[in-house]
PDB file of all heavy atoms in Angstrom:
ATOM      1  N   PHE A 411    -258.918 -14.345-111.201  1.00  0.00           N
ATOM      2  CA  PHE A 411    -259.348 -14.904-112.498  1.00  0.00           C
ATOM      3  C   PHE A 411    -258.327 -14.462-113.552  1.00  0.00           C
ATOM      4  O   PHE A 411    -258.260 -13.282-113.940  1.00  0.00           O
ATOM      5  CB  PHE A 411    -260.746 -14.385-112.835  1.00  0.00           C
ATOM      6  CG  PHE A 411    -261.786 -14.928-111.891  1.00  0.00           C
ATOM      7  CD1 PHE A 411    -262.089 -14.270-110.712  1.00  0.00           C
ATOM      8  CD2 PHE A 411    -262.407 -16.159-112.161  1.00  0.00           C
ATOM      9  CE1 PHE A 411    -262.985 -14.801-109.805  1.00  0.00           C
ATOM     10  CE2 PHE A 411    -263.316 -16.686-111.278  1.00  0.00           C
ATOM     11  CZ  PHE A 411    -263.616 -16.034-110.099  1.00  0.00           C
ATOM     12  N   ALA A 412    -257.526 -15.428-114.002  1.00  0.00           N
ATOM     13  CA  ALA A 412    -256.433 -15.101-114.957  1.00  0.00           C
ATOM     14  C   ALA A 412    -257.051 -15.035-116.341  1.00  0.00           C
ATOM     15  O   ALA A 412    -257.829 -15.906-116.726  1.00  0.00           O
ATOM     16  CB  ALA A 412    -255.374 -16.157-114.869  1.00  0.00           C
ATOM     17  N   PHE A 413    -256.732 -13.953-117.099  1.00  0.00           N
ATOM     18  CA  PHE A 413    -257.311 -13.875-118.432  1.00  0.00           C
ATOM     19  C   PHE A 413    -256.312 -13.712-119.560  1.00  0.00           C
ATOM     20  O   PHE A 413    -256.678 -13.701-120.728  1.00  0.00           O
ATOM     21  CB  PHE A 413    -258.414 -12.802-118.478  1.00  0.00           C
ATOM     22  CG  PHE A 413    -258.006 -11.436-117.988  1.00  0.00           C
ATOM     23  CD1 PHE A 413    -257.198 -10.606-118.769  1.00  0.00           C
ATOM     24  CD2 PHE A 413    -258.472 -10.966-116.768  1.00  0.00           C
ATOM     25  CE1 PHE A 413    -256.852  -9.363-118.322  1.00  0.00           C
ATOM     26  CE2 PHE A 413    -258.114  -9.693-116.322  1.00  0.00           C
ATOM     27  CZ  PHE A 413    -257.279  -8.893-117.099  1.00  0.00           C
ATOM     28  N   ASP A 414    -255.050 -13.588-119.234  1.00  0.00           N
ATOM     29  CA  ASP A 414    -254.066 -13.545-120.340  1.00  0.00           C
ATOM     30  C   ASP A 414    -252.681 -13.871-119.828  1.00  0.00           C
ATOM     31  O   ASP A 414    -252.446 -13.816-118.611  1.00  0.00           O
ATOM     32  CB  ASP A 414    -254.061 -12.170-121.046  1.00  0.00           C
ATOM     33  CG  ASP A 414    -253.797 -12.254-122.539  1.00  0.00           C
ATOM     34  OD1 ASP A 414    -252.962 -13.116-122.936  1.00  0.00           O
ATOM     35  OD2 ASP A 414    -254.406 -11.519-123.290  1.00  0.00           O
ATOM     36  N   ILE A 415    -251.808 -14.218-120.739  1.00  0.00           N
ATOM     37  CA  ILE A 415    -250.433 -14.531-120.343  1.00  0.00           C
ATOM     38  C   ILE A 415    -249.480 -13.859-121.347  1.00  0.00           C
ATOM     39  O   ILE A 415    -249.728 -13.908-122.541  1.00  0.00           O
ATOM     40  CB  ILE A 415    -250.216 -16.069-120.256  1.00  0.00           C
ATOM     41  CG1 ILE A 415    -248.758 -16.433-120.089  1.00  0.00           C
ATOM     42  CG2 ILE A 415    -250.775 -16.789-121.475  1.00  0.00           C
ATOM     43  CD1 ILE A 415    -248.538 -17.910-119.745  1.00  0.00           C
ATOM     44  N   MET A 416    -248.429 -13.200-120.826  1.00  0.00           N
ATOM     45  CA  MET A 416    -247.573 -12.414-121.703  1.00  0.00           C
ATOM     46  C   MET A 416    -246.141 -12.961-121.777  1.00  0.00           C
ATOM     47  O   MET A 416    -245.366 -12.569-122.638  1.00  0.00           O
ATOM     48  CB  MET A 416    -247.505 -10.973-121.193  1.00  0.00           C
ATOM     49  CG  MET A 416    -248.820 -10.218-121.228  1.00  0.00           C
ATOM     50  SD  MET A 416    -249.777 -10.602-119.723  1.00  0.00           S
ATOM     51  CE  MET A 416    -249.604  -9.107-118.802  1.00  0.00           C
ATOM     52  N   TYR A 417    -245.765 -13.823-120.838  1.00  0.00           N
ATOM     53  CA  TYR A 417    -244.375 -14.208-120.749  1.00  0.00           C
ATOM     54  C   TYR A 417    -244.349 -15.627-120.129  1.00  0.00           C
ATOM     55  O   TYR A 417    -245.083 -15.883-119.170  1.00  0.00           O
ATOM     56  CB  TYR A 417    -243.677 -13.220-119.842  1.00  0.00           C
ATOM     57  CG  TYR A 417    -242.204 -13.411-119.617  1.00  0.00           C
ATOM     58  CD1 TYR A 417    -241.258 -12.683-120.360  1.00  0.00           C
ATOM     59  CD2 TYR A 417    -241.749 -14.241-118.602  1.00  0.00           C
ATOM     60  CE1 TYR A 417    -239.915 -12.817-120.133  1.00  0.00           C
ATOM     61  CE2 TYR A 417    -240.395 -14.375-118.361  1.00  0.00           C
ATOM     62  CZ  TYR A 417    -239.475 -13.648-119.137  1.00  0.00           C
ATOM     63  OH  TYR A 417    -238.134 -13.754-118.872  1.00  0.00           O
ATOM     64  N   LEU A 418    -243.526 -16.500-120.714  1.00  0.00           N
ATOM     65  CA  LEU A 418    -243.462 -17.844-120.152  1.00  0.00           C
ATOM     66  C   LEU A 418    -242.039 -18.407-120.254  1.00  0.00           C
ATOM     67  O   LEU A 418    -241.445 -18.388-121.340  1.00  0.00           O
ATOM     68  CB  LEU A 418    -244.451 -18.770-120.871  1.00  0.00           C
ATOM     69  CG  LEU A 418    -244.587 -20.182-120.274  1.00  0.00           C
ATOM     70  CD1 LEU A 418    -245.124 -20.124-118.860  1.00  0.00           C
ATOM     71  CD2 LEU A 418    -245.523 -21.012-121.159  1.00  0.00           C
ATOM     72  N   ASN A 419    -241.558 -18.867-119.148  1.00  0.00           N
ATOM     73  CA  ASN A 419    -240.228 -19.531-119.098  1.00  0.00           C
ATOM     74  C   ASN A 419    -239.148 -18.817-119.879  1.00  0.00           C
ATOM     75  O   ASN A 419    -238.529 -19.363-120.799  1.00  0.00           O
ATOM     76  CB  ASN A 419    -240.372 -21.012-119.531  1.00  0.00           C
ATOM     77  CG  ASN A 419    -241.306 -21.738-118.562  1.00  0.00           C
ATOM     78  OD1 ASN A 419    -241.458 -21.317-117.417  1.00  0.00           O
ATOM     79  ND2 ASN A 419    -241.920 -22.783-119.033  1.00  0.00           N
ATOM     80  N   GLY A 420    -238.946 -17.578-119.537  1.00  0.00           N
ATOM     81  CA  GLY A 420    -237.842 -16.797-120.098  1.00  0.00           C
ATOM     82  C   GLY A 420    -238.119 -16.097-121.426  1.00  0.00           C
ATOM     83  O   GLY A 420    -237.222 -15.441-121.965  1.00  0.00           O
ATOM     84  N   LYS A 421    -239.338 -16.195-121.932  1.00  0.00           N
ATOM     85  CA  LYS A 421    -239.620 -15.594-123.245  1.00  0.00           C
ATOM     86  C   LYS A 421    -240.929 -14.790-123.276  1.00  0.00           C
ATOM     87  O   LYS A 421    -241.928 -15.240-122.718  1.00  0.00           O
ATOM     88  CB  LYS A 421    -239.745 -16.732-124.275  1.00  0.00           C
ATOM     89  CG  LYS A 421    -238.662 -16.655-125.329  1.00  0.00           C
ATOM     90  CD  LYS A 421    -238.738 -17.759-126.393  1.00  0.00           C
ATOM     91  CE  LYS A 421    -240.083 -17.987-127.019  1.00  0.00           C
ATOM     92  NZ  LYS A 421    -240.320 -19.334-127.418  1.00  0.00           N
ATOM     93  N   SER A 422    -240.885 -13.661-124.004  1.00  0.00           N
ATOM     94  CA  SER A 422    -242.152 -12.916-124.168  1.00  0.00           C
ATOM     95  C   SER A 422    -242.999 -13.693-125.156  1.00  0.00           C
ATOM     96  O   SER A 422    -242.541 -14.153-126.202  1.00  0.00           O
ATOM     97  CB  SER A 422    -241.859 -11.524-124.744  1.00  0.00           C
ATOM     98  OG  SER A 422    -243.030 -10.999-125.288  1.00  0.00           O
ATOM     99  N   ILE A 423    -244.319 -13.847-124.826  1.00  0.00           N
ATOM    100  CA  ILE A 423    -245.191 -14.488-125.800  1.00  0.00           C
ATOM    101  C   ILE A 423    -246.329 -13.532-126.184  1.00  0.00           C
ATOM    102  O   ILE A 423    -247.385 -13.935-126.622  1.00  0.00           O
ATOM    103  CB  ILE A 423    -245.767 -15.827-125.253  1.00  0.00           C
ATOM    104  CG1 ILE A 423    -246.387 -15.643-123.853  1.00  0.00           C
ATOM    105  CG2 ILE A 423    -244.712 -16.908-125.231  1.00  0.00           C
ATOM    106  CD1 ILE A 423    -247.209 -16.858-123.404  1.00  0.00           C
ATOM    107  N   MET A 424    -246.043 -12.232-126.038  1.00  0.00           N
ATOM    108  CA  MET A 424    -247.059 -11.237-126.326  1.00  0.00           C
ATOM    109  C   MET A 424    -247.451 -11.268-127.808  1.00  0.00           C
ATOM    110  O   MET A 424    -248.586 -10.878-128.154  1.00  0.00           O
ATOM    111  CB  MET A 424    -246.551  -9.840-125.991  1.00  0.00           C
ATOM    112  CG  MET A 424    -246.310  -9.638-124.515  1.00  0.00           C
ATOM    113  SD  MET A 424    -246.538  -7.973-123.951  1.00  0.00           S
ATOM    114  CE  MET A 424    -245.617  -7.024-125.105  1.00  0.00           C
TER     115      MET A 424
END
Side-chain angles (χ1 to χ4, degrees):
F411 294 89
F413 54 74
D414 214 322
I415 170 170
M416 297 84 106
Y417 182 97
L418 186 63
N419 298 336
K421 244 181 48 212
S422 162
I423 51 167
M424 295 209 313

